[in-house]
Amino acid sequence: SLTGHEGAIRDFRWSNIDPTSTNPNSQGVGFIVTLSVDQSIKVFDIARNKAECLMTLRHENHIGSLALSPDNSLLAVGGQNSDIYIWSLKDKSSSAASSIILQNNDNDIDPNSKAIFDINWSFDGTVVAAGFEKSVVMLDLKKILSTPVENLI
């Protein structure tokens, strides 16, 4: 079993595995990412008979949803304050973890509905879509960031 959170697990994702891929992030049994009401995310290696927590990612604000990029190198996390956090999972260690925050200033979003209920990536990993109460906002990372998505973080 996967243990270590101080609060209830609210969401989790299996890594995207392609056994024919030459990308080391997409091979093998993979990992599971969990999101808890304790405002933390844990990445568990499930390749062995026992689960090992590889990293813990802590947030200052409440978080509610998560999604792995198609190549498993980035993790998008939806906050209850309408922020989207993008974490690099390339090294899979807490000491090497880094993130950027995409603050959502979209005028189409109802100001009374700031919580992100769901988040997901486009098939090519360049667009993040966040679901709010009455709208979905798509953020094209290639247009937002000066750094190419593949070199992010």
Side-chain angles (χ1 to χ4, degrees), residues 26-42:
S26 295
Q27 294 176 334
V29 176
F31 57 93
I32 290 179
V33 182
T34 59
L35 177 148
S36 172
V37 296
D38 65 11
Q39 298 177 200
S40 73
I41 291 173
K42 293 189 179 287

Side-chain angles (χ1 to χ4, degrees), residues 87-102:
W87 288 92
S88 173
L89 299 180
K90 289 179 183 174
D91 295 325
K92 293 192 186 64
S93 79
S94 294
S95 60
S98 58
S99 71
I100 60 169
I101 300 173
L102 303 175

Side-chain angles (χ1 to χ4, degrees), residues 38-115:
D38 65 11
Q39 298 177 200
S40 73
I41 291 173
K42 293 189 179 287
V43 179
F44 292 93
D45 179 2
I46 56 170
R48 298 171 194 78
N49 288 338
K50 64 176 189 170
E52 175 188 357
C53 182
L54 300 174
M55 64 190 317
T56 300
L57 308 171
R58 302 209 182 274
H59 291 81
E60 292 180 15
N61 296 307
H62 292 288
I63 50 177
S65 59
L66 56 89
L68 284 163
S69 64
D71 69 354
N72 299 320
S73 66
L74 298 172
L75 176 70
V77 178
Q80 298 296 310
N81 59 350
S82 79
D83 288 345
I84 298 171
Y85 305 86
I86 307 291
W87 288 92
S88 173
L89 299 180
K90 289 179 183 174
D91 295 325
K92 293 192 186 64
S93 79
S94 294
S95 60
S98 58
S99 71
I100 60 169
I101 300 173
L102 303 175
Q103 292 184 329
N104 195 345
N105 297 318
D106 193 325
N107 292 329
D108 294 335
I109 297 172
D110 179 353
N112 298 319
S113 173
K114 293 189 176 194

